[in-house]
Amino acid sequence: MLLEIDRNDARSTAFDPAFRDDVIAGLSLPQKAIPARWFYDHRGSELFEEITRLPEYYPTRTERALLERHAPEVGRIAGPHRAVVEFGSGSSAKTPLLLGAIDPAAYVPIDISGEFLRESAEALGQAFPALAIQPVEADFTRPIRLPVLVDKHPRLGFFPGSTIGNLQAPAAVDLLRAMAGTLGAGAMLLIGMDRVKSPDVLVPAYDDAQGVTAAFNLNLLHRINRELGGDVPVSLFRHRAIWNDGDARIEMHLEATRDLAFAIDGHDFAMAAGETIHTENSHKYGPRSARQMLAAGGWTTLAEWTDPQQNFALLLAEARPMPIAP
């Protein structure tokens, strides 16, 4: 059963004041930056789905294989009739693997891209016609009010794709705490985390030979021009992916190829050749740091699964009260 979409703390109009505010503030910094969540308009969501199918982009196929193998074990640990709440659901491509293994009571996908969310929820409703589904259009990095549909059910949060890696440690911990608060005591969380590995594997995953990731990055500038009335010269920027070993992260930037100037919503900006707009971080974790991150966010790890190459990990955790230090 597909329920009507619930819009919660987000807007489906072409103009979002929060987008404008983040862009203007970010481009006014010495190191220009725009939060990665604004990648995901409809076109950005489509491009990201293309990225997940690229040969260089190992996280999606690795995580999918882990779900295919271990989702039944997740179901045994979590137990039946949980309401599955997926944060940043996107196309929900991996979701059927989980839903088919755990006998869920309901499914609540949450995503900031409303049109893409609706399309994905409708497709999933056809695959699971007896399942209560209620999409929520929202920015999951902010507090979310879950639909009454899930009030009487224990919850299982689903946060695949190593999206947690887009956040720096303090923000990641804050998000995990917010998820624990949203889902409630006794809730569980199934989360994907990408592992630290050779830059020879990491960099191509974010700078593919076909240029799809470059188009995804540059689409952010097209969105600024379209929604905020900007005149950013998109053709004068290029995509860059960099491995920052000290911070254990891939960084994505948009680099000005020559001196340039542009205006957005009445604000003027200038960039020198070689100056960049920092658009995304993708932090990578070791086994210990992943569990420590979850613990700091109020989650106790119950189980962990990884592939033979140790490229990616799925962790199942439970929300428990923070212990009082001895």
Side-chain angles (χ1 to χ4, degrees):
M1 177 175 61
L2 182 64
L3 302 182
E4 183 178 354
I5 191 167
D6 180 1
R7 291 178 178 83
N8 186 357
D9 296 324
R11 297 176 56 169
S12 60
T13 58
F15 176 78
D16 188 332
F19 178 41
R20 177 199 58 202
D21 293 347
D22 279 352
V23 168
I24 299 304
L27 294 180
S28 302
L29 296 171
Q31 168 58 72
K32 293 175 169 54
I34 299 173
R37 65 177 176 272
W38 298 115
F39 278 134
Y40 299 97
D41 63 350
H42 191 272
R43 180 56 181 155
S45 297
E46 289 179 333
L47 285 166
F48 182 74
E49 292 308 314
E50 290 185 36
I51 289 170
T52 65
R53 296 188 289 270
L54 292 169
E56 299 97 328
Y57 195 78
Y58 63 86
T60 298
R61 63 177 177 270
T62 307
E63 185 176 39
R64 184 178 181 88
L66 288 170
L67 281 167
E68 289 173 344
R69 183 172 183 178
H70 299 292
E73 189 174 352
V74 173
R76 288 193 294 272
I77 297 172
H81 310 307
R82 284 185 179 263
V84 176
V85 179
E86 183 170 359
F87 298 92
S89 56
S91 69
S92 301
K94 302 165 194 166
T95 312
L97 298 172
L98 179 62
L99 297 181
I102 68 167
D103 188 21
Y107 173 60
V108 178
I110 302 169
D111 203 273
I112 198 170
S113 179
E115 183 181 358
F116 201 71
L117 174 68
R118 288 187 289 275
E119 293 172 359
S120 301
E122 288 170 4
L124 199 62
Q126 294 175 7
F128 294 87
L131 180 64
I133 301 175
Q134 185 155 350
V136 175
E137 183 181 348
D139 177 357
F140 66 83
T141 65
R142 300 174 181 176
I144 295 171
R145 182 187 67 255
L146 293 177
V148 295
L149 173 72
V150 304
D151 280 353
K152 297 181 180 180
H153 302 289
R155 289 88 179 267
L156 171 62
F158 187 37
F159 197 33
S162 197
T163 308
I164 193 71
N166 294 148
L167 303 176
Q168 299 202 49
V173 169
D174 287 346
L175 176 59
L176 290 167
R177 288 175 177 168
M179 288 178 170
T182 295
L183 296 171
M188 293 185 183
L189 177 68
L190 183 63
I191 184 171
M193 290 191 178
D194 201 8
R195 289 282 180 83
V196 175
K197 60 188 70 67
S198 169
D200 293 340
V201 176
L202 285 167
V203 173
Y206 295 84
D207 193 9
D208 62 280
Q210 297 179 47
V212 180
T213 312
F216 173 71
N217 201 5
L218 290 162
N219 181 66
L220 181 58
L221 301 181
H222 288 296
R223 182 180 185 184
I224 289 170
N225 286 345
R226 183 178 63 253
E227 296 185 20
L228 304 181
D231 60 1
V232 182
V234 181
S235 64
L236 299 182
F237 285 86
R238 66 180 177 188
H239 164 71
R240 289 190 63 197
I242 304 164
W243 171 244
N244 180 334
D245 191 64
D247 291 326
R249 71 189 188 196
I250 286 283
E251 297 179 2
M252 291 209 321
H253 293 254
L254 290 165
E255 181 182 17
T257 58
R258 64 175 177 83
D259 294 353
L260 52 84
F262 54 89
I264 300 171
D265 193 37
H267 297 263
D268 295 323
F269 300 97
M271 295 180 64
E275 189 177 357
T276 70
I277 304 170
H278 190 170
T279 54
E280 185 180 48
N281 293 317
S282 185
H283 292 86
K284 311 304 175 183
Y285 304 96
R288 183 177 298 176
S289 61
R291 289 173 177 249
Q292 288 175 332
M293 176 78 72
L294 284 167
W299 297 92
T300 298
T301 301
L302 303 176
E304 181 175 357
W305 304 276
T306 188
D307 59 290
Q309 291 74 36
Q310 303 283 305
N311 280 339
F312 197 94
L314 274 177
L315 298 97
L316 180 66
E318 184 177 20
R320 295 179 181 174
M322 295 293 288
I324 299 174

